[in-house]
Amino acid sequence: MLDRRQLLGTTAAITGAALLGSTGPARAAASPRAGTRPLLLTHATLIDGHRTLPDRAILIRGDRVVAVDRTAQIAIPPRATVVDLRGKYVIPGLVESHAHTSGPKEVAAPVFPLAGVTAVREMWGQPVHHDWRREVAAGKLLGPRWVIASQILDGPPTLFTNDTGSEVIEVRDEAQARRAVRRVRQEGADFVKVYSRLSPPAYRAIVHEARRLGIRVAGHCPDAVTIAECAAAGQQTIEHLHALLLATATPAAEREIRRRLAEVRLDPREPSSLKRYNTWFRQVHAIEHEAVRHYDPERTRALFDRLAAHGTRVVPTLSVHHSLECPDELPTHQEESKYVPPWMVAEWPATWETLTGNRTPREAAMIRRIYVHRLRLVAELHRSGVELLAGTDTGTGYLVPGFSLHGELALLAEAGLPAHRVLASATTAPARMLRLPEQRADFVVLDADPLADIRHTRRIAGVVAAGRYLDRGERERALAELARAAAASEPPAPAATAAAARPSRCC
């Protein structure tokens, strides 16, 4: 048996500092709540970093891992439930690092753990997400552990109008910025979410006030702020690849890029968030293409080395970039859509037409070249040692919560990351950042080795959620129930909660 120090180190490696919070039933049959009997998983092949460790056992009491060792080295405790995982592979529960969860809670919450995603970083926090988190912790709702952002803090005019049903806090100056940080901390946000249209003085005031209050800052790199400044300011993560791409051109090109970025305009009278975003995309894509044309590999490496030195993490969200920039490849008939209410799925085509419609063939070809270049930048980030986190921007159309994370992993592999680094981007890396307890018993049991092919994360044989093992049959029954609940869901009334009412959009 391992001593306590070895146990903690091994458990951290295997569980990926696995999970916070206990999950509970959306329906009694799908309850993942740990029982009073110990759970012993035996003869499993564990994924430890880039290695496979055969014939391992995991002993779980309640919702915590208490021992990890070779199967022969762990005695079977009295009254233990023993699960033989011979021929199976065990990885930590997956972490979705960029989500916008909406819809009825009976559908929106359970879909994550049933897809193997046991923790979620919510990137536009609303009161309903805090309600769901409390229900999960109390065992009343099957769902992931949520880490919840503040409302978006943006400069005027923001990219979002009031048609989303979710508040954006507009800050014009330093005083408003500091008040906004104090407000969202008091409201219980786990971190402050910054956005694209913040002015440099407002951004700096947000960062300074957040540091003073001991709350982290994450989100977009504002258009008027450089990536290097975000890193030096201690911003925990940079979401998406727009700002990174714009910062990798030659010095002369970057000066022109900064000038053109300063001229990007939004119409404050435009009532549609989607149309505002379309306007922003059209202006920024043209600037991004200039950055692609004047790409400077040496400056890029120097910048990415700086990000790595500051510990700045990047969430590339290749899934939403691909959906928006290669719309001819949208997965319009994916089987997993049955786990989303039909009235939400029905919104996707119109949303995408507003966001991406009216592109000329020349513009479409230009934007596709930008996407290909984004893949190159992801590979460069990896080579520079920048920690990458897997996030999808779920909540945007065509991205099914939970399931879309497996697609993100495939895109990261397509960008050139080795399988063990791709897996780390959805397990150990976000677990460290989110400070998830090391002994939390959350795992995904797979039929095939994800280090041989990262697409094998989709081949789920079972899920351990907060110490309760959902085997293949129980999981499939829960998914069938989830599909029925989604199909029976009706659109929310106008006065419904913001998280259920807001349309799909990217942020």
Side-chain angles (χ1 to χ4, degrees):
M1 294 288 286
L2 303 178
D3 64 29
R4 179 171 176 78
R5 181 181 57 80
Q6 291 171 319
L7 168 64
L8 294 180
T10 302
T11 302
I14 291 172
T15 64
L19 290 195
L20 291 171
S22 35
T23 50
R27 299 285 191 276
S31 171
R33 207 161 178 69
T36 57
R37 300 172 61 182
L39 173 65
L40 181 62
L41 309 178
T42 65
H43 302 292
T45 298
L46 301 183
I47 305 297
D48 172 21
H50 61 280
R51 302 178 299 164
T52 56
L53 303 176
D55 197 26
R56 261 41 177 195
I58 305 170
L59 179 60
I60 297 167
R61 293 185 185 275
D63 61 359
R64 293 185 176 272
V65 174
V66 295
V68 178
D69 211 329
R70 291 187 178 275
T71 297
Q73 298 301 313
I74 296 185
I76 301 176
R79 301 180 61 250
T81 298
V82 180
V83 179
D84 190 327
L85 295 181
R86 215 177 301 258
K88 306 300 181 188
Y89 296 79
V90 175
I91 64 172
L94 299 173
V95 181
E96 162 66 84
S97 288
H98 191 121
H100 300 279
T101 311
S102 60
K105 68 180 181 182
E106 295 81 7
V107 176
V111 68
F112 284 109
L114 293 176
V117 176
T118 47
V120 169
R121 189 171 70 135
E122 194 70 39
M123 293 303 292
W124 190 346
Q126 303 299 321
V128 70
H129 298 127
H130 293 270
D131 293 341
W132 292 354
R133 179 162 67 179
R134 284 188 287 269
E135 289 191 48
V136 168
K140 299 177 181 178
L141 179 68
L142 170 59
R145 162 62 168 141
W146 266 291
V147 177
I148 304 171
S150 68
Q151 297 98 322
I152 289 173
L153 273 59
D154 202 9
T158 177
L159 283 160
F160 291 103
T161 69
N162 59 10
D163 64 352
T164 66
S166 302
E167 182 181 8
V168 175
I169 303 176
E170 286 190 339
V171 295
R172 297 179 179 275
D173 53 35
E174 296 180 41
Q176 288 183 344
R178 293 179 185 278
R179 284 197 297 271
V181 173
R182 292 194 293 271
R183 169 187 159 182
V184 300
R185 182 176 183 273
Q186 186 175 18
E187 291 172 347
D190 296 321
F191 61 97
V192 178
K193 169 76 178 285
V194 292
Y195 217 63
S196 300
R197 305 300 293 167
L198 286 167
S199 69
Y203 173 80
R204 293 173 194 132
I206 288 169
V207 171
H208 183 271
E209 188 69 9
R211 186 182 300 118
R212 188 182 72 82
L213 296 176
I215 185 171
R216 295 182 175 186
V217 174
H220 292 202
C221 173
D223 292 347
V225 176
T226 68
I227 287 285
E229 182 174 0
C230 285
Q235 184 167 321
Q236 187 178 48
T237 63
I238 294 171
E239 313 297 312
H240 317 303
L241 295 170
H242 298 291
L244 280 161
L245 191 152
L246 292 170
T248 57
T250 62
E254 187 175 12
R255 286 193 292 272
E256 177 63 12
I257 284 166
R258 303 307 307 180
R259 184 190 67 77
R260 291 176 64 180
L261 270 177
E263 294 177 351
V264 170
R265 294 290 182 268
L266 300 175
D267 184 354
R269 298 166 299 179
E270 172 54 61
S272 166
S273 295
L274 294 176
K275 289 182 179 179
R276 283 195 191 184
Y277 238 114
N278 178 283
T279 299
W280 185 83
F281 278 143
R282 292 180 78 93
Q283 295 175 81
V284 170
H285 278 147
I287 302 171
E288 285 184 312
H289 192 248
E290 286 302 301
V292 173
R293 290 181 60 244
H294 297 282
Y295 177 63
D296 187 329
E298 290 187 8
R299 291 192 80 223
T300 298
R301 282 192 293 272
L303 173 63
F304 291 178
D305 287 347
R306 186 181 299 183
L307 295 184
H310 282 291
T312 308
R313 301 162 176 89
V314 173
V315 188
T317 64
L318 288 174
S319 295
V320 74
H321 279 299
H322 182 266
S323 297
L324 289 166
E325 292 156 16
C326 307
D328 55 319
E329 298 178 11
L330 285 171
T332 53
H333 300 290
Q334 56 188 329
E335 174 71 14
E336 293 143 2
S337 294
K338 65 185 177 184
Y339 304 123
V340 179
W343 54 268
M344 295 180 72
V345 174
E347 295 175 348
W348 294 349
T351 297
W352 244 243
E353 178 60 28
T354 304
L355 286 172
T356 68
N358 300 319
R359 289 176 181 170
T360 67
R362 180 181 178 185
E363 286 176 321
M366 175 190 76
I367 292 169
R368 180 173 286 274
R369 286 193 293 273
I370 292 170
Y371 174 75
V372 171
H373 192 71
R374 295 197 202 282
L375 297 180
R376 179 179 182 179
L377 291 183
V378 169
E380 290 291 341
L381 286 162
H382 164 66
R383 281 191 285 270
S384 293
V386 176
E387 194 160 70
L388 299 172
L389 307 180
T392 64
D393 216 346
T394 276
T396 304
Y398 300 99
L399 299 176
V400 177
F403 291 94
S404 64
L405 186 60
H406 299 279
E408 181 72 18
L409 301 185
L411 290 174
L412 289 169
E414 182 182 334
L417 271 65
H420 72 279
R421 294 309 309 162
V422 175
L423 194 60
S425 75
T427 54
T428 53
R432 282 193 302 269
M433 182 187 75
L434 299 176
R435 300 172 179 172
L436 305 183
E438 294 177 352
Q439 293 77 41
R440 180 62 68 190
D442 294 82
F443 303 95
V444 187
V445 181
L446 304 174
D447 284 324
D449 184 359
L451 298 184
D453 186 337
I454 198 63
R455 291 172 296 182
H456 289 164
T457 61
R458 293 182 179 272
R459 298 181 59 182
I460 298 175
V463 177
V464 181
R468 167 70 185 274
Y469 182 54
L470 303 172
D471 64 18
R472 191 188 307 274
E474 188 169 4
R475 176 176 175 268
E476 289 177 354
R477 287 190 294 273
L479 284 170
E481 185 178 330
L482 187 68
R484 288 191 293 271
S489 172
E490 296 183 357
T497 61
R502 68 173 181 258
S504 61
R505 70 283 182 276
C506 50
C507 59

Short mmCIF file of all heavy atoms in Angstrom, two decimals, residues 42-45 55 71 83-89:
data_model
loop_
_atom_site.label_atom_id
_atom_site.label_comp_id
_atom_site.label_asym_id
_atom_site.label_seq_id
_atom_site.Cartn_x
_atom_site.Cartn_y
_atom_site.Cartn_z
N THR A 42 -11.51 -2.26 -9.68
CA THR A 42 -10.33 -3.13 -9.78
C THR A 42 -9.94 -3.39 -11.22
O THR A 42 -10.74 -3.25 -12.15
CB THR A 42 -10.61 -4.48 -9.09
OG1 THR A 42 -11.64 -5.18 -9.80
CG2 THR A 42 -11.04 -4.29 -7.65
N HIS A 43 -8.68 -3.79 -11.39
CA HIS A 43 -8.13 -4.25 -12.67
C HIS A 43 -8.29 -3.22 -13.79
O HIS A 43 -8.43 -3.57 -14.95
CB HIS A 43 -8.77 -5.58 -13.08
CG HIS A 43 -8.59 -6.67 -12.07
ND1 HIS A 43 -7.36 -7.22 -11.78
CD2 HIS A 43 -9.48 -7.30 -11.25
CE1 HIS A 43 -7.51 -8.16 -10.85
NE2 HIS A 43 -8.78 -8.22 -10.49
N ALA A 44 -8.28 -1.96 -13.43
CA ALA A 44 -8.42 -0.89 -14.43
C ALA A 44 -7.06 -0.48 -14.96
O ALA A 44 -6.04 -0.63 -14.29
CB ALA A 44 -9.11 0.32 -13.81
N THR A 45 -7.05 0.04 -16.17
CA THR A 45 -5.86 0.70 -16.69
C THR A 45 -6.04 2.20 -16.48
O THR A 45 -6.94 2.81 -17.07
CB THR A 45 -5.65 0.40 -18.18
OG1 THR A 45 -5.45 -1.00 -18.35
CG2 THR A 45 -4.44 1.15 -18.72
N ASP A 55 -3.73 -2.70 -14.46
CA ASP A 55 -4.14 -3.49 -13.30
C ASP A 55 -4.09 -2.68 -12.01
O ASP A 55 -3.55 -3.11 -11.00
CB ASP A 55 -3.27 -4.75 -13.18
CG ASP A 55 -3.91 -5.78 -12.25
OD1 ASP A 55 -5.15 -5.77 -12.12
OD2 ASP A 55 -3.16 -6.58 -11.65
N THR A 71 -3.96 -3.68 -8.10
CA THR A 71 -5.15 -4.36 -7.60
C THR A 71 -4.81 -5.35 -6.49
O THR A 71 -5.51 -5.43 -5.47
CB THR A 71 -5.86 -5.08 -8.75
OG1 THR A 71 -6.30 -4.10 -9.70
CG2 THR A 71 -7.07 -5.86 -8.25
N VAL A 83 -16.20 -3.42 -8.52
CA VAL A 83 -16.47 -3.32 -9.95
C VAL A 83 -15.21 -3.72 -10.69
O VAL A 83 -14.17 -3.06 -10.55
CB VAL A 83 -16.91 -1.90 -10.36
CG1 VAL A 83 -17.17 -1.83 -11.86
CG2 VAL A 83 -18.13 -1.47 -9.57
N ASP A 84 -15.29 -4.79 -11.46
CA ASP A 84 -14.14 -5.27 -12.23
C ASP A 84 -14.08 -4.49 -13.54
O ASP A 84 -14.99 -4.59 -14.38
CB ASP A 84 -14.29 -6.76 -12.50
CG ASP A 84 -13.03 -7.38 -13.09
OD1 ASP A 84 -12.32 -6.68 -13.83
OD2 ASP A 84 -12.77 -8.56 -12.82
N LEU A 85 -13.02 -3.72 -13.73
CA LEU A 85 -12.86 -2.90 -14.93
C LEU A 85 -11.77 -3.47 -15.84
O LEU A 85 -11.09 -2.73 -16.55
CB LEU A 85 -12.54 -1.46 -14.55
CG LEU A 85 -13.65 -0.72 -13.78
CD1 LEU A 85 -13.22 0.71 -13.47
CD2 LEU A 85 -14.96 -0.72 -14.57
N ARG A 86 -11.66 -4.75 -15.86
CA ARG A 86 -10.69 -5.40 -16.73
C ARG A 86 -10.95 -4.99 -18.18
O ARG A 86 -12.07 -5.07 -18.67
CB ARG A 86 -10.83 -6.92 -16.58
CG ARG A 86 -9.55 -7.70 -16.67
CD ARG A 86 -9.85 -9.17 -16.43
NE ARG A 86 -10.46 -9.39 -15.13
CZ ARG A 86 -9.81 -9.85 -14.07
NH1 ARG A 86 -8.54 -10.13 -14.17
NH2 ARG A 86 -10.45 -10.03 -12.93
N GLY A 87 -9.90 -4.54 -18.87
CA GLY A 87 -10.04 -4.12 -20.26
C GLY A 87 -10.53 -2.69 -20.43
O GLY A 87 -10.68 -2.22 -21.57
N LYS A 88 -10.75 -1.98 -19.33
CA LYS A 88 -11.24 -0.60 -19.40
C LYS A 88 -10.13 0.38 -19.02
O LYS A 88 -9.17 0.03 -18.33
CB LYS A 88 -12.43 -0.40 -18.46
CG LYS A 88 -13.57 -1.37 -18.67
CD LYS A 88 -14.15 -1.31 -20.06
CE LYS A 88 -15.31 -2.28 -20.23
NZ LYS A 88 -15.77 -2.36 -21.64
N TYR A 89 -10.30 1.61 -19.45
CA TYR A 89 -9.36 2.69 -19.16
C TYR A 89 -10.07 3.74 -18.32
O TYR A 89 -11.23 4.09 -18.60
CB TYR A 89 -8.84 3.32 -20.46
CG TYR A 89 -8.03 2.36 -21.31
CD1 TYR A 89 -8.65 1.40 -22.10
CD2 TYR A 89 -6.64 2.40 -21.27
CE1 TYR A 89 -7.91 0.50 -22.86
CE2 TYR A 89 -5.88 1.51 -22.02
CZ TYR A 89 -6.53 0.56 -22.81
OH TYR A 89 -5.79 -0.32 -23.54
#
